[in-house]
Amino acid sequence: METKTREQKIEELKRTVRNIPDFPIKGIQFKDVTPLFKTKESLSMLTDVLYEEYKDKGITKIVGIESRGFIMGPIMALKLEAGFVPIRKPGKLPAEVYEEEYQKEYGIDKIQIHKDALSPEDIVLIHDDLLATGGTMEAAYKLVKKMGVKKIYVNFIIELDDLKGRSLFPEDIEVTSLINFSI
Ligand code: AMP
């Protein structure tokens, strides 16, 4: 059986991402991740690369950000034998929540997490599909940090390098993305 290196797998995954110019508004190069999930080959390659990245970190909870963090989040949780916790938009989570505000392109948005979703022993991997300005993940990071867990890792499938979203996170936080694009 043919075995591919991590770099070969990432190159292949990168070629699978679909670029949609001017979506949802003019000037945006939209990176469509759905082709990564469409075939069993790319879904399993993506899962393998993510698993290899985090298998030795002792992760106990994957925190996924609504809604594209809900695709690979539970798959990674299952592979890493961890639990899955959703971060959602306001009004969706039924029990008591913590909330964080963040700046969107137009106006302010909020995200929430259940107060009892994480505990001090948890080693958490926060996952989303793509790092653009980083505003959404920064708010998620603050939420999880406030809950006083043991350690936090941050992961994206894709990073848009030129937007420098990575600079929002403290240096001691491991921020990993598999596929990098300059736009
Ligand atoms: P941000 O808070 O700016 O890092 O972006 C948050 C979310 O917006 C990402 O997780 C993506 O789901 C989406 N997003 C932003 N820019 C793009 C883009 N160029 N292509 C695809 N999705 C994007």
Side-chain angles (χ1 to χ4, degrees), residues 28-31 68 128-137 160:
I28 301 287
Q29 298 292 329
F30 192 88
K31 305 297 177 202
R68 273 171 281 193
D128 203 357
D129 65 329
L130 184 142
L131 173 60
T133 66
T136 317
M137 183 58 89
L160 303 182

Side-chain angles (χ1 to χ4, degrees), residues 4-21:
K4 292 173 182 153
T5 64
R6 181 181 188 275
E7 287 63 37
Q8 285 170 325
K9 288 179 186 171
I10 285 172
E11 260 318 300
E12 223 172 296
L13 291 169
K14 185 168 181 171
R15 283 196 300 273
T16 308
V17 175
R18 177 164 56 176
N19 191 71
I20 314 274

Side-chain angles (χ1 to χ4, degrees), residues 21-38:
D22 299 322
F23 180 88
I25 54 169
K26 204 163 172 40
I28 301 287
Q29 298 292 329
F30 192 88
K31 305 297 177 202
D32 178 16
V33 287
T34 63
L36 293 173
F37 314 134
K38 192 171 77 173

Side-chain angles (χ1 to χ4, degrees), residues 66-141:
E66 180 173 0
S67 56
R68 273 171 281 193
F70 291 1
I71 300 170
M72 292 313 293
I75 295 176
M76 270 195 276
L78 207 57
K79 286 282 288 183
L80 293 167
E81 297 182 32
F84 178 77
V85 171
I87 282 188
R88 299 210 63 183
K89 308 269 166 63
K92 305 282 188 189
L93 292 172
E96 280 192 50
V97 293
Y98 292 119
E99 181 173 273
E100 193 68 45
E101 282 189 354
Y102 64 104
Q103 189 71 41
K104 290 278 279 188
E105 209 173 349
Y106 305 106
I108 301 281
D109 224 333
K110 289 177 188 162
I111 50 173
Q112 300 181 334
I113 191 167
H114 272 148
K115 280 187 178 174
D116 63 358
L118 299 170
S119 51
E121 319 76 70
D122 274 322
I123 299 178
V124 175
L125 172 58
I126 320 176
H127 164 78
D128 203 357
D129 65 329
L130 184 142
L131 173 60
T133 66
T136 317
M137 183 58 89
E138 186 189 28
Y141 169 74

